[in-house]
């Protein structure tokens, strides 16, 4: 949810095609589910809405390729957005207006990716460890959690293009 605007993607048991629903009143009422036919067989990995009816869905295709689609009309139509071929996944996606932040990865590293153009173009910050999730208060200020290669927990703050590792005391398991 973003203020009172909420969206969800589920899969109908009868059809097997993901469906998109939207609420403009904090989840009290929802639109009728709209089929997301482009995502049939895909695994949805992230969903975020930046404003009323403006949403992005990231999915993993059956061939393990990242696909990214946007809607500007509450799910009635979807347009594909290109992503770098080195990004096999995208998660922890969040948007405000047409600006978005996402956690993505390459074969060997995690990246914090930002877009100020509603996923048309991205810039990224290389993270020192494998990240599992992120939370952002603004486009340029985020907290990222995950684990080090040794399996110990890891947390970093990211301001603009600088990621600073935090010192953790007695955190027995990786942060998810």
């Amino acid at each position: 949810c973003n203020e009172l605007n909420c969206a969800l993607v589920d899969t109908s048991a009868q059809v097997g095609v993901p469906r998109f629903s939207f609420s403009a009143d904090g989840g009290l009422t929802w639109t009728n589910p709209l089929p997301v036919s482009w995502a049939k067989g895909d695994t949805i990995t992230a969903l975020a809405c930046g404003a009323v009816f403006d949403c992005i869905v990231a999915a993993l295709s059956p061939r393990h390729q990242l696909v990214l689609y946007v809607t500007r009309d509450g799910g009635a139509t979807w347009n594909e957005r290109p992503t770098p071929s080195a990004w096999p996944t995208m998660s922890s996606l969040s948007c405000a207006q047409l600006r978005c932040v996402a956690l993505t990865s390459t074969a060997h590293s995690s990246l914090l990716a930002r877009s100020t153009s509603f996923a048309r173009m991205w810039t990224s910050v290389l993270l020192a460890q494998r990240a599992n999730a992120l939370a952002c208060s603004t486009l340029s200020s985020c907290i990222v959690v995950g684990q080090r290669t040794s399996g110990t927990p890891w947390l970093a703050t990211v301001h603009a293009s600088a990621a600073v590792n935090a010192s953790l005391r007695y955190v027995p398991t990786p942060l998810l």
Side-chain angles (χ1 to χ4, degrees):
C1 292
N2 183 358
E3 296 178 16
L4 294 178
N5 303 310
C6 300
L8 66 84
V9 174
D10 70 355
T11 302
S12 168
Q14 293 93 356
V15 181
V17 173
R19 304 177 309 172
F20 177 83
S21 298
F22 189 84
S23 172
D25 58 12
L28 293 175
T29 60
W30 291 86
T31 60
N32 288 329
L34 297 170
V36 185
S37 57
W38 61 262
K40 184 174 184 174
D42 292 352
T43 302
I44 305 297
T45 60
L47 163 68
C49 297
V52 175
F53 304 123
D54 295 335
C55 300
I56 300 176
V57 173
L60 189 61
S61 76
R63 292 178 292 170
H64 302 288
Q65 294 175 324
L66 174 65
V67 291
L68 195 63
Y69 278 81
V70 301
T71 181
R72 302 292 308 270
D73 56 15
T77 60
W78 294 89
N79 295 303
E80 187 173 5
R81 293 282 201 256
T83 57
S85 59
W87 293 3
T89 64
M90 180 179 281
S91 62
S92 295
L93 180 62
S94 64
C95 299
Q97 298 302 318
L98 302 180
R99 302 169 356 141
C100 300
V101 181
L103 188 60
T104 187
S105 64
T106 66
H108 304 288
S109 60
S110 292
L111 303 168
L112 184 141
R114 295 184 179 107
S115 174
T116 57
S117 59
F118 204 49
R120 289 184 195 280
M121 297 179 61
W122 295 89
T123 59
S124 60
V125 175
L126 179 65
L127 301 172
Q129 305 296 330
R130 182 62 72 187
N132 295 325
L134 70 84
C136 301
S137 57
T138 66
L139 185 67
S140 61
S141 183
C142 301
I143 294 176
V144 183
V145 299
Q147 63 190 41
R148 299 176 188 280
T149 54
S150 64
T152 59
W154 168 75
L155 183 143
T157 57
V158 182
H159 296 286
S161 61
V164 177
N165 292 336
S167 177
L168 300 175
R169 293 186 183 166
Y170 189 70
V171 180
T173 59
L175 299 167
L176 302 173

Tab-separated table of all heavy atoms in Angstrom, residues 100-163:
chain	number	residue	atom	x	y	z
A	100	CYS	N	11.114	4.896	-8.236
A	100	CYS	CA	11.101	3.565	-7.634
A	100	CYS	C	12.489	3.141	-7.165
A	100	CYS	O	13.501	3.576	-7.718
A	100	CYS	CB	10.599	2.530	-8.640
A	100	CYS	SG	8.927	2.865	-9.232
A	101	VAL	N	12.505	2.269	-6.166
A	101	VAL	CA	13.722	1.654	-5.646
A	101	VAL	C	13.465	0.157	-5.596
A	101	VAL	O	12.385	-0.281	-5.202
A	101	VAL	CB	14.069	2.160	-4.232
A	101	VAL	CG1	15.355	1.527	-3.733
A	101	VAL	CG2	14.176	3.671	-4.202
A	102	ALA	N	14.467	-0.630	-5.987
A	102	ALA	CA	14.301	-2.082	-5.984
A	102	ALA	C	15.607	-2.744	-5.589
A	102	ALA	O	16.690	-2.169	-5.720
A	102	ALA	CB	13.888	-2.579	-7.360
A	103	LEU	N	15.469	-3.950	-5.118
A	103	LEU	CA	16.620	-4.791	-4.834
A	103	LEU	C	16.721	-5.769	-5.993
A	103	LEU	O	15.745	-6.443	-6.336
A	103	LEU	CB	16.406	-5.533	-3.524
A	103	LEU	CG	17.576	-6.312	-2.980
A	103	LEU	CD1	18.762	-5.396	-2.719
A	103	LEU	CD2	17.168	-7.008	-1.695
A	104	THR	N	17.870	-5.808	-6.634
A	104	THR	CA	18.074	-6.714	-7.755
A	104	THR	C	19.414	-7.403	-7.584
A	104	THR	O	20.138	-7.135	-6.629
A	104	THR	CB	17.965	-5.964	-9.100
A	104	THR	OG1	18.000	-6.901	-10.167
A	104	THR	CG2	19.065	-4.951	-9.262
A	105	SER	N	19.726	-8.302	-8.473
A	105	SER	CA	20.972	-9.037	-8.324
A	105	SER	C	21.575	-9.333	-9.676
A	105	SER	O	20.911	-9.287	-10.704
A	105	SER	CB	20.726	-10.347	-7.568
A	105	SER	OG	19.881	-11.188	-8.329
A	106	THR	N	22.864	-9.625	-9.640
A	106	THR	CA	23.568	-10.175	-10.782
A	106	THR	C	23.997	-11.577	-10.353
A	106	THR	O	23.638	-12.023	-9.262
A	106	THR	CB	24.799	-9.323	-11.157
A	106	THR	OG1	25.755	-9.405	-10.100
A	106	THR	CG2	24.415	-7.873	-11.402
A	107	ALA	N	24.774	-12.236	-11.161
A	107	ALA	CA	25.204	-13.597	-10.814
A	107	ALA	C	26.030	-13.626	-9.527
A	107	ALA	O	26.013	-14.621	-8.803
A	107	ALA	CB	26.004	-14.201	-11.962
A	108	HIS	N	26.723	-12.520	-9.216
A	108	HIS	CA	27.637	-12.543	-8.080
A	108	HIS	C	27.407	-11.464	-7.040
A	108	HIS	O	28.133	-11.397	-6.053
A	108	HIS	CB	29.084	-12.444	-8.579
A	108	HIS	CG	29.439	-13.510	-9.561
A	108	HIS	ND1	29.612	-14.816	-9.195
A	108	HIS	CD2	29.602	-13.463	-10.900
A	108	HIS	CE1	29.890	-15.543	-10.270
A	108	HIS	NE2	29.889	-14.742	-11.313
A	109	SER	N	26.421	-10.589	-7.224
A	109	SER	CA	26.266	-9.495	-6.274
A	109	SER	C	24.821	-9.003	-6.214
A	109	SER	O	24.013	-9.311	-7.075
A	109	SER	CB	27.183	-8.331	-6.657
A	109	SER	OG	26.863	-7.864	-7.936
A	110	SER	N	24.545	-8.229	-5.178
A	110	SER	CA	23.253	-7.567	-5.031
A	110	SER	C	23.413	-6.092	-5.364
A	110	SER	O	24.466	-5.498	-5.133
A	110	SER	CB	22.747	-7.707	-3.596
A	110	SER	OG	22.431	-9.044	-3.309
A	111	LEU	N	22.345	-5.517	-5.894
A	111	LEU	CA	22.340	-4.109	-6.268
A	111	LEU	C	21.093	-3.439	-5.726
A	111	LEU	O	20.021	-4.047	-5.707
A	111	LEU	CB	22.330	-3.944	-7.794
A	111	LEU	CG	23.439	-4.590	-8.597
A	111	LEU	CD1	23.097	-4.559	-10.076
A	111	LEU	CD2	24.750	-3.876	-8.350
A	112	LEU	N	21.223	-2.198	-5.309
A	112	LEU	CA	20.083	-1.357	-5.024
A	112	LEU	C	19.887	-0.532	-6.290
A	112	LEU	O	20.790	0.190	-6.703
A	112	LEU	CB	20.358	-0.459	-3.819
A	112	LEU	CG	19.179	0.398	-3.383
A	112	LEU	CD1	19.129	0.472	-1.877
A	112	LEU	CD2	19.242	1.766	-3.983
A	113	ALA	N	18.744	-0.692	-6.937
A	113	ALA	CA	18.485	-0.017	-8.209
A	113	ALA	C	17.443	1.070	-8.015
A	113	ALA	O	16.473	0.887	-7.282
A	113	ALA	CB	18.008	-1.028	-9.245
A	114	ARG	N	17.649	2.211	-8.674
A	114	ARG	CA	16.721	3.338	-8.580
A	114	ARG	C	16.302	3.792	-9.966
A	114	ARG	O	17.093	3.783	-10.900
A	114	ARG	CB	17.382	4.511	-7.874
A	114	ARG	CG	17.730	4.276	-6.429
A	114	ARG	CD	18.297	5.561	-5.819
A	114	ARG	NE	18.614	5.390	-4.434
A	114	ARG	CZ	19.855	5.301	-3.953
A	114	ARG	NH1	20.891	5.367	-4.773
A	114	ARG	NH2	20.050	5.158	-2.662
A	115	SER	N	15.044	4.207	-10.049
A	115	SER	CA	14.532	4.779	-11.295
A	115	SER	C	13.717	6.024	-10.951
A	115	SER	O	12.881	5.995	-10.056
A	115	SER	CB	13.629	3.777	-12.028
A	115	SER	OG	13.036	4.398	-13.147
A	116	THR	N	13.965	7.094	-11.679
A	116	THR	CA	13.162	8.312	-11.529
A	116	THR	C	12.215	8.461	-12.709
A	116	THR	O	11.537	9.473	-12.843
A	116	THR	CB	14.058	9.562	-11.427
A	116	THR	OG1	14.877	9.630	-12.585
A	116	THR	CG2	14.925	9.519	-10.174
A	117	SER	N	12.160	7.439	-13.576
A	117	SER	CA	11.366	7.500	-14.805
A	117	SER	C	10.356	6.358	-14.889
A	117	SER	O	10.047	5.904	-15.990
A	117	SER	CB	12.301	7.463	-16.009
A	117	SER	OG	13.070	6.264	-15.986
A	118	PHE	N	9.864	5.905	-13.767
A	118	PHE	CA	8.892	4.811	-13.701
A	118	PHE	C	9.377	3.586	-14.477
A	118	PHE	O	8.710	3.065	-15.350
A	118	PHE	CB	7.513	5.268	-14.173
A	118	PHE	CG	6.380	4.444	-13.617
A	118	PHE	CD1	6.296	4.167	-12.271
A	118	PHE	CD2	5.398	3.952	-14.445
A	118	PHE	CE1	5.258	3.419	-11.741
A	118	PHE	CE2	4.349	3.204	-13.937
A	118	PHE	CZ	4.280	2.935	-12.577
A	119	ALA	N	10.597	3.173	-14.147
A	119	ALA	CA	11.225	1.944	-14.636
A	119	ALA	C	11.669	2.000	-16.099
A	119	ALA	O	11.918	0.968	-16.702
A	119	ALA	CB	10.324	0.745	-14.399
A	120	ARG	N	11.785	3.191	-16.662
A	120	ARG	CA	12.315	3.279	-18.035
A	120	ARG	C	13.837	3.156	-18.026
A	120	ARG	O	14.417	2.545	-18.910
A	120	ARG	CB	11.908	4.586	-18.694
A	120	ARG	CG	10.445	4.658	-19.024
A	120	ARG	CD	10.130	5.959	-19.771
A	120	ARG	NE	8.718	6.232	-19.802
A	120	ARG	CZ	7.864	5.668	-20.640
A	120	ARG	NH1	8.295	4.781	-21.499
A	120	ARG	NH2	6.587	5.970	-20.600
A	121	MET	N	14.475	3.781	-17.040
A	121	MET	CA	15.935	3.738	-16.903
A	121	MET	C	16.254	3.536	-15.432
A	121	MET	O	15.516	4.004	-14.560
A	121	MET	CB	16.560	5.031	-17.424
A	121	MET	CG	16.330	5.253	-18.907
A	121	MET	SD	17.040	6.805	-19.492
A	121	MET	CE	18.753	6.547	-19.147
A	122	TRP	N	17.362	2.845	-15.177
A	122	TRP	CA	17.769	2.530	-13.808
A	122	TRP	C	19.222	2.914	-13.582
A	122	TRP	O	20.042	2.836	-14.491
A	122	TRP	CB	17.627	1.034	-13.537
A	122	TRP	CG	16.230	0.523	-13.588
A	122	TRP	CD1	15.562	0.058	-14.693
A	122	TRP	CD2	15.315	0.420	-12.501
A	122	TRP	NE1	14.286	-0.329	-14.356
A	122	TRP	CE2	14.111	-0.122	-13.022
A	122	TRP	CE3	15.377	0.724	-11.149
A	122	TRP	CZ2	13.002	-0.363	-12.222
A	122	TRP	CZ3	14.275	0.481	-10.351
A	122	TRP	CH2	13.101	-0.054	-10.889
A	123	THR	N	19.525	3.323	-12.353
A	123	THR	CA	20.902	3.448	-11.885
A	123	THR	C	21.025	2.493	-10.711
A	123	THR	O	20.022	2.134	-10.089
A	123	THR	CB	21.244	4.887	-11.433
A	123	THR	OG1	20.347	5.260	-10.372
A	123	THR	CG2	21.112	5.864	-12.585
A	124	SER	N	22.240	2.073	-10.396
A	124	SER	CA	22.366	1.088	-9.321
A	124	SER	C	23.572	1.358	-8.438
A	124	SER	O	24.534	2.008	-8.850
A	124	SER	CB	22.442	-0.329	-9.893
A	124	SER	OG	23.556	-0.461	-10.740
A	125	VAL	N	23.470	0.845	-7.215
A	125	VAL	CA	24.536	0.913	-6.232
A	125	VAL	C	24.907	-0.523	-5.896
A	125	VAL	O	24.040	-1.325	-5.520
A	125	VAL	CB	24.075	1.647	-4.944
A	125	VAL	CG1	25.150	1.600	-3.880
A	125	VAL	CG2	23.666	3.074	-5.258
A	126	LEU	N	26.176	-0.874	-6.049
A	126	LEU	CA	26.657	-2.204	-5.723
A	126	LEU	C	26.685	-2.371	-4.209
A	126	LEU	O	27.184	-1.498	-3.483
A	126	LEU	CB	28.059	-2.417	-6.297
A	126	LEU	CG	28.714	-3.763	-6.014
A	126	LEU	CD1	27.935	-4.888	-6.688
A	126	LEU	CD2	30.157	-3.741	-6.492
A	127	LEU	N	26.131	-3.474	-3.723
A	127	LEU	CA	26.126	-3.761	-2.290
A	127	LEU	C	27.218	-4.771	-1.971
A	127	LEU	O	27.474	-5.685	-2.766
A	127	LEU	CB	24.754	-4.286	-1.870
A	127	LEU	CG	23.597	-3.319	-2.149
A	127	LEU	CD1	22.259	-3.989	-1.890
A	127	LEU	CD2	23.751	-2.057	-1.306
A	128	ALA	N	27.841	-4.634	-0.809
A	128	ALA	CA	28.995	-5.461	-0.449
A	128	ALA	C	28.635	-6.908	-0.167
A	128	ALA	O	29.479	-7.793	-0.284
A	128	ALA	CB	29.701	-4.859	0.770
A	129	GLN	N	27.402	-7.169	0.217
A	129	GLN	CA	26.992	-8.521	0.595
A	129	GLN	C	25.718	-8.903	-0.144
A	129	GLN	O	25.118	-8.089	-0.835
A	129	GLN	CB	26.774	-8.590	2.116
A	129	GLN	CG	27.955	-8.148	2.937
A	129	GLN	CD	29.179	-9.030	2.763
A	129	GLN	OE1	29.070	-10.225	2.504
A	129	GLN	NE2	30.361	-8.451	2.901
A	130	ARG	N	25.280	-10.142	0.056
A	130	ARG	CA	24.044	-10.623	-0.561
A	130	ARG	C	22.864	-10.075	0.228
A	130	ARG	O	22.712	-10.335	1.408
A	130	ARG	CB	24.023	-12.145	-0.568
A	130	ARG	CG	22.811	-12.751	-1.228
A	130	ARG	CD	22.639	-12.421	-2.683
A	130	ARG	NE	23.595	-13.102	-3.522
A	130	ARG	CZ	23.728	-12.879	-4.822
A	130	ARG	NH1	22.957	-12.012	-5.421
A	130	ARG	NH2	24.622	-13.512	-5.523
A	131	ALA	N	22.014	-9.286	-0.427
A	131	ALA	CA	20.883	-8.639	0.242
A	131	ALA	C	19.617	-9.468	0.062
A	131	ALA	O	19.407	-10.084	-0.983
A	131	ALA	CB	20.681	-7.241	-0.317
A	132	ASN	N	18.758	-9.480	1.094
A	132	ASN	CA	17.485	-10.189	1.059
A	132	ASN	C	16.297	-9.251	0.958
A	132	ASN	O	15.269	-9.627	0.402
A	132	ASN	CB	17.318	-11.062	2.301
A	132	ASN	CG	18.336	-12.170	2.355
A	132	ASN	OD1	18.727	-12.715	1.337
A	132	ASN	ND2	18.789	-12.499	3.546
A	133	ALA	N	16.402	-8.048	1.539
A	133	ALA	CA	15.268	-7.122	1.554
A	133	ALA	C	15.765	-5.701	1.777
A	133	ALA	O	16.861	-5.492	2.282
A	133	ALA	CB	14.285	-7.509	2.654
A	134	LEU	N	14.916	-4.747	1.389
A	134	LEU	CA	15.238	-3.349	1.640
A	134	LEU	C	13.987	-2.594	2.038
A	134	LEU	O	12.871	-3.018	1.760
A	134	LEU	CB	15.890	-2.688	0.414
A	134	LEU	CG	15.077	-2.408	-0.836
A	134	LEU	CD1	14.311	-1.100	-0.725
A	134	LEU	CD2	15.994	-2.321	-2.036
A	135	ALA	N	14.201	-1.486	2.713
A	135	ALA	CA	13.134	-0.554	3.063
A	135	ALA	C	13.709	0.844	2.878
A	135	ALA	O	14.842	1.108	3.264
A	135	ALA	CB	12.671	-0.763	4.495
A	136	CYS	N	12.915	1.721	2.258
A	136	CYS	CA	13.400	3.064	1.953
A	136	CYS	C	12.434	4.110	2.486
A	136	CYS	O	11.223	3.974	2.337
A	136	CYS	CB	13.551	3.252	0.448
A	136	CYS	SG	14.678	2.078	-0.309
A	137	SER	N	12.990	5.156	3.091
A	137	SER	CA	12.166	6.279	3.520
A	137	SER	C	12.048	7.308	2.398
A	137	SER	O	11.060	8.019	2.304
A	137	SER	CB	12.724	6.920	4.787
A	137	SER	OG	14.060	7.334	4.578
A	138	THR	N	13.074	7.385	1.547
A	138	THR	CA	13.064	8.226	0.350
A	138	THR	C	13.790	7.462	-0.742
A	138	THR	O	14.396	6.412	-0.483
A	138	THR	CB	13.783	9.583	0.575
A	138	THR	OG1	15.177	9.325	0.789
A	138	THR	CG2	13.194	10.347	1.750
A	139	LEU	N	13.780	7.994	-1.942
A	139	LEU	CA	14.476	7.348	-3.044
A	139	LEU	C	15.968	7.207	-2.766
A	139	LEU	O	16.602	6.256	-3.197
A	139	LEU	CB	14.260	8.149	-4.330
A	139	LEU	CG	14.813	7.552	-5.615
A	139	LEU	CD1	14.075	6.275	-5.980
A	139	LEU	CD2	14.717	8.552	-6.753
A	140	SER	N	16.542	8.120	-2.011
A	140	SER	CA	17.987	8.096	-1.787
A	140	SER	C	18.398	7.604	-0.408
A	140	SER	O	19.581	7.555	-0.101
A	140	SER	CB	18.566	9.497	-2.012
A	140	SER	OG	17.993	10.406	-1.100
A	141	SER	N	17.460	7.199	0.440
A	141	SER	CA	17.800	6.759	1.795
A	141	SER	C	17.122	5.420	2.103
A	141	SER	O	15.906	5.366	2.265
A	141	SER	CB	17.360	7.825	2.799
A	141	SER	OG	17.741	7.460	4.088
A	142	CYS	N	17.939	4.363	2.191
A	142	CYS	CA	17.403	3.007	2.371
A	142	CYS	C	18.203	2.222	3.409
A	142	CYS	O	19.352	2.541	3.689
A	142	CYS	CB	17.454	2.233	1.060
A	142	CYS	SG	16.526	2.983	-0.288
A	143	ILE	N	17.570	1.181	3.913
A	143	ILE	CA	18.229	0.184	4.754
A	143	ILE	C	18.123	-1.141	4.011
A	143	ILE	O	17.058	-1.501	3.516
A	143	ILE	CB	17.578	0.070	6.135
A	143	ILE	CG1	17.792	1.362	6.919
A	143	ILE	CG2	18.136	-1.125	6.907
A	143	ILE	CD1	17.100	1.384	8.256
A	144	VAL	N	19.235	-1.865	3.940
A	144	VAL	CA	19.288	-3.146	3.245
A	144	VAL	C	19.757	-4.199	4.242
A	144	VAL	O	20.674	-3.955	5.024
A	144	VAL	CB	20.270	-3.076	2.055
A	144	VAL	CG1	20.284	-4.375	1.289
A	144	VAL	CG2	19.928	-1.915	1.152
A	145	VAL	N	19.103	-5.369	4.222
A	145	VAL	CA	19.492	-6.463	5.116
A	145	VAL	C	19.771	-7.724	4.318
A	145	VAL	O	19.261	-7.900	3.211
A	145	VAL	CB	18.419	-6.750	6.195
A	145	VAL	CG1	18.196	-5.532	7.070
A	145	VAL	CG2	17.128	-7.231	5.573
A	146	GLY	N	20.571	-8.591	4.901
A	146	GLY	CA	20.891	-9.854	4.255
A	146	GLY	C	21.907	-10.622	5.072
A	146	GLY	O	21.862	-10.621	6.304
A	147	GLN	N	22.830	-11.250	4.351
A	147	GLN	CA	23.850	-12.030	5.043
A	147	GLN	C	25.172	-11.940	4.304
A	147	GLN	O	25.224	-11.741	3.103
A	147	GLN	CB	23.430	-13.475	5.188
A	147	GLN	CG	23.257	-14.209	3.885
A	147	GLN	CD	22.619	-15.561	4.087
A	147	GLN	OE1	21.704	-15.703	4.877
A	147	GLN	NE2	23.106	-16.546	3.365
A	148	ARG	N	26.230	-12.089	5.086
A	148	ARG	CA	27.579	-12.115	4.527
A	148	ARG	C	27.840	-13.492	3.922
A	148	ARG	O	27.069	-14.425	4.145
A	148	ARG	CB	28.606	-11.818	5.619
A	148	ARG	CG	28.428	-10.456	6.262
A	148	ARG	CD	29.431	-10.253	7.411
A	148	ARG	NE	29.145	-9.047	8.141
A	148	ARG	CZ	29.488	-7.827	7.757
A	148	ARG	NH1	30.140	-7.662	6.623
A	148	ARG	NH2	29.184	-6.777	8.479
A	149	THR	N	28.916	-13.632	3.171
A	149	THR	CA	29.233	-14.930	2.587
A	149	THR	C	29.467	-15.989	3.657
A	149	THR	O	29.265	-17.170	3.418
A	149	THR	CB	30.476	-14.839	1.682
A	149	THR	OG1	31.552	-14.255	2.430
A	149	THR	CG2	30.194	-14.007	0.446
A	150	SER	N	29.831	-15.574	4.864
A	150	SER	CA	30.037	-16.510	5.983
A	150	SER	C	28.709	-16.969	6.584
A	150	SER	O	28.687	-17.854	7.438
A	150	SER	CB	30.882	-15.846	7.075
A	150	SER	OG	30.167	-14.735	7.616
A	151	GLY	N	27.595	-16.356	6.154
A	151	GLY	CA	26.282	-16.706	6.685
A	151	GLY	C	25.849	-15.842	7.854
A	151	GLY	O	24.735	-15.978	8.349
A	152	THR	N	26.698	-14.939	8.317
A	152	THR	CA	26.334	-14.066	9.424
A	152	THR	C	25.443	-12.930	8.931
A	152	THR	O	25.504	-12.537	7.766
A	152	THR	CB	27.588	-13.480	10.114
A	152	THR	OG1	28.340	-12.751	9.136
A	152	THR	CG2	28.453	-14.585	10.708
A	153	PRO	N	24.606	-12.377	9.808
A	153	PRO	CA	23.699	-11.293	9.422
A	153	PRO	C	24.454	-10.050	8.964
A	153	PRO	O	25.577	-9.786	9.399
A	153	PRO	CB	22.925	-11.011	10.699
A	153	PRO	CG	23.102	-12.211	11.538
A	153	PRO	CD	24.423	-12.790	11.180
A	154	TRP	N	23.794	-9.286	8.099
A	154	TRP	CA	24.383	-8.074	7.548
A	154	TRP	C	23.299	-7.024	7.388
A	154	TRP	O	22.169	-7.331	7.007
A	154	TRP	CB	25.021	-8.403	6.198
A	154	TRP	CG	25.416	-7.228	5.391
A	154	TRP	CD1	26.497	-6.411	5.593
A	154	TRP	CD2	24.752	-6.740	4.228
A	154	TRP	NE1	26.533	-5.431	4.619
A	154	TRP	CE2	25.472	-5.624	3.773
A	154	TRP	CE3	23.627	-7.128	3.534
A	154	TRP	CZ2	25.090	-4.895	2.646
A	154	TRP	CZ3	23.237	-6.405	2.414
A	154	TRP	CH2	23.978	-5.302	1.979
A	155	LEU	N	23.625	-5.776	7.710
A	155	LEU	CA	22.728	-4.642	7.547
A	155	LEU	C	23.562	-3.462	7.074
A	155	LEU	O	24.670	-3.242	7.569
A	155	LEU	CB	22.042	-4.304	8.874
A	155	LEU	CG	21.019	-3.165	8.844
A	155	LEU	CD1	19.865	-3.477	9.777
A	155	LEU	CD2	21.633	-1.833	9.211
A	156	ALA	N	23.025	-2.711	6.124
A	156	ALA	CA	23.715	-1.518	5.636
A	156	ALA	C	22.704	-0.410	5.397
A	156	ALA	O	21.540	-0.673	5.090
A	156	ALA	CB	24.475	-1.816	4.348
A	157	THR	N	23.153	0.816	5.553
A	157	THR	CA	22.343	1.970	5.169
A	157	THR	C	22.903	2.475	3.847
A	157	THR	O	24.115	2.439	3.617
A	157	THR	CB	22.396	3.084	6.225
A	157	THR	OG1	23.752	3.465	6.438
A	157	THR	CG2	21.788	2.622	7.544
A	158	VAL	N	22.009	2.905	2.973
A	158	VAL	CA	22.426	3.417	1.673
A	158	VAL	C	21.880	4.829	1.547
A	158	VAL	O	20.669	5.050	1.607
A	158	VAL	CB	21.895	2.538	0.520
A	158	VAL	CG1	22.380	3.076	-0.822
A	158	VAL	CG2	22.312	1.085	0.707
A	159	HIS	N	22.790	5.777	1.416
A	159	HIS	CA	22.430	7.183	1.186
A	159	HIS	C	23.059	7.578	-0.135
A	159	HIS	O	24.280	7.463	-0.297
A	159	HIS	CB	22.929	8.080	2.315
A	159	HIS	CG	22.295	7.757	3.636
A	159	HIS	ND1	21.004	8.093	3.934
A	159	HIS	CD2	22.770	7.098	4.712
A	159	HIS	CE1	20.706	7.675	5.144
A	159	HIS	NE2	21.757	7.053	5.635
A	160	ALA	N	22.227	8.013	-1.065
A	160	ALA	CA	22.673	8.341	-2.427
A	160	ALA	C	23.373	7.118	-3.003
A	160	ALA	O	22.757	6.082	-3.154
A	160	ALA	CB	23.531	9.580	-2.422
A	161	SER	N	24.675	7.191	-3.277
A	161	SER	CA	25.379	6.056	-3.877
A	161	SER	C	26.363	5.395	-2.920
A	161	SER	O	27.207	4.613	-3.347
A	161	SER	CB	26.104	6.499	-5.141
A	161	SER	OG	27.058	7.488	-4.814
A	162	ALA	N	26.250	5.693	-1.618
A	162	ALA	CA	27.171	5.109	-0.650
A	162	ALA	C	26.442	4.140	0.276
A	162	ALA	O	25.457	4.499	0.918
A	162	ALA	CB	27.824	6.212	0.178
A	163	ALA	N	26.937	2.919	0.325
A	163	ALA	CA	26.406	1.904	1.244
A	163	ALA	C	27.367	1.772	2.414
A	163	ALA	O	28.569	1.569	2.224
A	163	ALA	CB	26.255	0.574	0.531
